[in-house]
Amino acid sequence: MAKGSSIQALYELCRKTFSPSSAPPAAAAIRKIAALLDTISPAEVGLKDDGLEDDRGLGYFGSSIHNNSMRVARWAQPITYLHIYECKSFTICIFCLPTSSVIPLHDHPGMTVLSKVLYGSLHVKSYDWVEPPCMALSGEKLPGVRLAKLHMDTVLSAPCPTAILYPRSGGNLHCFTSVASCAVLDVLAPPYSEEAGRCCTYYRDLPYSSFTAERRNVVNENEDDYAWLEAISDSPVDIYMRTGRYIGPVVQEELNSPGSCTIV
């Protein structure tokens, strides 16, 4: 039964903490969720420590989460998305990444995100925007190319503390590359929503030396700690991802509780 499960406890704590507003809750409330995530094991969400076989076959497949046509070699195993719960205030989900798979650099506009590595190893590279915004110049101002500061460029291996990013800090723009087959339990609050203006944008990062800044002397530190991020709009970003079946404890929503969410 879900009652008494770690996922049920996570749902109840998230329901008390988050609202549809993009304003992040108090840091103490976020730390409570992170502390709970730190205790959750793969088995508690229906996974094994070696949850994905990393066998390599032949042939090509043609699906992505954006429903764009693509051809991917069989050795590039798909990332598996496991949906646990979603409402207007938050999403709980799991990403299972086979070795060497990549979730490209992307943002989380107006969102607070907690990521718990359940098993395996994951390289994380993340940035935060330089404030006030600093745009690139190359003869004239370049639209969609903005300066960001490196927040993290490291490997996270389970067991490790839950990573937290905020709307304006903590590495709101990040890229995941699995070093070894791994699974990441995510809480996103509030969820992506085109209607609410929280659309996911993908980026490519370029060395700081690629462009001139619109403001001089912006970088007084190591230039390697900065990069220009260019929004990818000229072509669709394909992610080799499939939806899997979540077999862990199911959230039991308290329908009569004030502010309760809706399972989708």
Side-chain angles (χ1 to χ4, degrees):
M1 295 177 60
K3 193 66 175 178
S5 72
S6 296
I7 285 297
Q8 184 67 24
L10 178 61
Y11 155 74
E12 292 175 0
L13 188 54
C14 287
R15 184 174 60 82
K16 294 175 183 177
T17 303
F18 297 119
S19 71
S21 168
S22 293
I30 297 297
R31 286 196 295 269
K32 286 183 179 179
I33 297 175
L36 176 56
L37 284 166
D38 285 342
T39 69
I40 297 177
S41 68
E44 290 177 282
V45 291
L47 297 176
K48 298 179 180 179
D49 285 351
D50 56 351
L52 285 177
E53 294 292 332
D54 199 23
D55 58 338
R56 303 185 179 195
L58 301 172
Y60 290 85
F61 294 79
S63 63
S64 78
I65 61 172
H66 298 290
N67 296 319
N68 297 313
S69 61
M70 65 184 297
R71 285 172 61 82
V72 179
R74 180 65 181 89
W75 58 261
Q77 292 280 64
I79 297 167
T80 301
Y81 172 83
L82 304 178
H83 177 79
I84 299 177
Y85 181 85
E86 182 172 305
C87 65
K88 291 184 178 180
S89 297
F90 60 91
T91 296
I92 303 174
C93 61
I94 298 172
F95 292 92
C96 299
L97 295 84
T99 303
S100 300
S101 60
V102 177
I103 297 180
L105 184 64
H106 61 283
D107 63 357
H108 307 83
M111 299 160 64
T112 300
V113 180
L114 297 93
S115 298
K116 159 67 174 176
V117 180
L118 294 167
Y119 64 78
S121 297
L122 183 73
H123 178 262
V124 180
K125 189 173 187 181
S126 63
Y127 298 91
D128 289 310
W129 293 121
V130 168
E131 297 290 354
C134 182
M135 309 305 292
L137 296 176
S138 182
E140 59 184 46
K141 192 171 181 178
L142 294 176
V145 182
R146 182 176 169 184
L147 189 63
K149 184 173 183 179
L150 184 68
H151 172 76
M152 179 185 295
D153 187 4
T154 191
V155 173
L156 302 179
S157 297
C160 60
T162 296
I164 307 170
L165 65 84
Y166 295 94
R168 295 181 179 274
S169 64
N172 187 274
L173 306 99
H174 66 202
C175 171
F176 288 165
T177 303
S178 57
V179 177
S181 179
C182 64
V184 182
L185 173 59
D186 268 359
V187 175
L188 301 91
Y192 286 111
S193 169
E194 185 174 352
E195 180 180 323
R198 293 188 299 272
C199 298
C200 182
T201 301
Y202 290 89
Y203 298 86
R204 58 175 63 94
D205 52 349
L206 306 168
Y208 178 77
S209 59
S210 300
F211 303 104
T212 302
E214 66 173 359
R215 305 196 311 272
R216 301 298 185 268
N217 301 322
V218 174
V219 175
N220 297 316
E221 309 163 54
N222 187 350
E223 289 188 4
D224 290 341
D225 290 337
Y226 291 83
W228 296 103
L229 303 191
E230 179 183 13
I232 298 175
S233 57
D234 54 349
S235 61
V237 175
D238 288 309
I239 303 178
Y240 190 27
M241 189 177 295
R242 67 184 177 192
T243 301
R245 185 170 66 92
Y246 170 68
I247 61 173
V250 177
V251 167
Q252 299 297 317
E253 186 178 27
E254 298 177 19
L255 297 176
N256 296 323
S257 298
S260 63
C261 301
T262 301
I263 298 174
V264 297

